[in-house]
Amino acid sequence: MASDPPPQADPAAGTIRPAGAIDPAYAIDSVSALSEDSRRRMFAFIRRARRPVTRDEAAASVGISRKLAAFHLDKLVDTGLLRAHYASPEGTRKVGRQPKVYEPTGAQITVNIPDRRHELLADLLLDAVLSERADETAAQAAMRAARQRGREMGEAARHETRPGRLGPERGLTTCEGLLEQYGYEPVREAPTRIRLRNCPFHPLAAKAPELVCGMNQAFLSGYLDGLEVGGVRAVPAPEPGECCVRLGSDGGEQATQPPPGH
């Protein structure tokens, strides 16, 4: 399988995601589009063809009219599963206007409720293995890789959106796009504090909390650094059934911690 294309910035969210990937907000729509039998069979036919497919070919593959096939194919384009353009089928030359052809976008769909991001964790661990230095342990390499990835994403978002100086409140608002995209389910507890209601790395975090939670904190800290958010930290704040990290201002975060002995 080909490697993923370079990430692209998402100006609306202030985050980046793999190029060609289906926005998580539309993943359910994409899955729903495949619930119709003819549509699903045409999509499978086009994927197997390994070349652009015309409407006539798609219609013939499932035994429906060209007009109905066009309706279903355009639905698949709308949900990001197919791309369309005008070209002659391979090996043919046609006089006049070229037919509309369809091919897969290569996007992968994953729907988890609540959202899980095990592929991100696996990618960070792979980075750590490939870049581990002689003077660090495997765990240290993992923390470094996670923080570096977060910083790169923050820098890319800042370069794309050019938000200017970011204090705690505006900074956290900007961060919410990334947090939502990666399934953290952010809740604004206060103007300068965000609680994360979901752990994208569960249940792996429960198996190795020190490693996974540490990487999670390092990743979010790196993002804050790269985005240049002033006065905000990602700090450990474990709660049952939630993410182990909370984002808050340097001063306001201390007040949320329980007193000694609690």
Side-chain angles (χ1 to χ4, degrees), residues 9-10 24 29 57 62 72 82 116 136 166 168 172 187 232 243:
D10 180 352
D29 290 340
E57 291 176 309
V62 296
H72 288 312
L82 295 179
R116 302 296 181 224
E136 63 184 357
L166 290 175
L172 288 176
V187 174
V232 173
C243 179

Side-chain angles (χ1 to χ4, degrees), residues 195 213 217 233-239 243-246 253 256-257:
R195 161 66 66 182
C213 294
Q217 182 185 359
R233 293 186 300 143
V235 299
E239 291 285 348
C243 179
C244 59
V245 177
R246 180 185 300 168
E253 198 58 38
T256 68
Q257 303 300 317

Side-chain angles (χ1 to χ4, degrees), residues 25-251:
Y26 300 106
I28 294 177
D29 290 340
S30 299
V31 172
S32 177
L34 295 174
S35 64
E36 203 284 329
D37 182 65
S38 295
R39 199 177 297 166
R40 182 174 62 255
R41 289 161 58 201
M42 282 194 295
F43 179 67
F45 171 76
I46 293 170
R47 282 188 56 81
R48 289 193 298 267
R50 302 287 181 177
R51 61 173 176 81
V53 171
T54 66
R55 288 175 173 176
D56 289 332
E57 291 176 309
S61 73
V62 296
I64 60 176
S65 70
R66 182 180 185 276
K67 184 176 181 180
L68 182 57
F71 169 78
H72 288 312
L73 291 168
D74 289 340
K75 284 289 185 182
L76 294 172
V77 171
D78 290 342
T79 57
L81 292 169
L82 295 179
R83 66 170 63 93
H85 58 97
Y86 292 92
S88 296
E90 289 185 4
T92 66
R93 290 187 179 181
K94 185 175 181 180
V95 178
R97 185 179 179 183
Q98 294 178 318
K100 195 172 187 178
V101 294
Y102 299 83
E103 56 187 335
T105 61
Q108 298 184 38
I109 309 171
T110 301
V111 178
N112 292 302
I113 302 174
D115 201 358
R116 302 296 181 224
R117 293 289 169 159
H118 296 161
E119 77 285 354
L120 173 61
L121 183 61
D123 196 32
L124 294 175
L125 289 170
L126 183 60
D127 282 350
V129 170
L130 295 176
S131 65
E132 183 178 345
R133 300 189 293 247
D135 62 344
E136 63 184 357
T137 65
Q140 289 170 336
M143 303 303 166
R144 174 178 52 78
R147 190 175 191 105
Q148 179 61 31
R149 176 68 64 85
R151 182 181 296 111
E152 290 171 356
M153 294 178 71
E155 289 172 349
R158 183 170 184 83
H159 176 75
E160 182 68 25
T161 60
R162 302 185 184 278
R165 185 176 181 275
L166 290 175
E169 291 190 36
R170 280 191 63 227
L172 288 176
T173 298
T174 303
C175 288
E176 285 183 288
L178 175 93
L179 298 171
E180 290 175 354
Q181 180 182 341
Y182 279 88
Y184 284 99
E185 296 183 359
V187 174
R188 201 69 170 258
E189 292 186 323
T192 59
R193 186 171 67 251
I194 290 179
R195 161 66 66 182
L196 307 177
R197 297 298 188 194
N198 180 50
C199 173
F201 307 123
H202 187 80
L204 299 179
K207 292 183 177 180
E210 186 174 349
L211 174 63
V212 177
C213 294
M215 291 177 66
N216 187 21
Q217 182 185 359
F219 172 73
L220 293 173
S221 295
Y223 185 75
L224 292 170
D225 289 345
L227 194 58
E228 298 181 21
V229 178
V232 173
R233 293 186 300 143
V235 299
E239 291 285 348
E242 298 186 1
C243 179
C244 59
V245 177
R246 180 185 300 168
L247 273 58
S249 64
D250 292 337

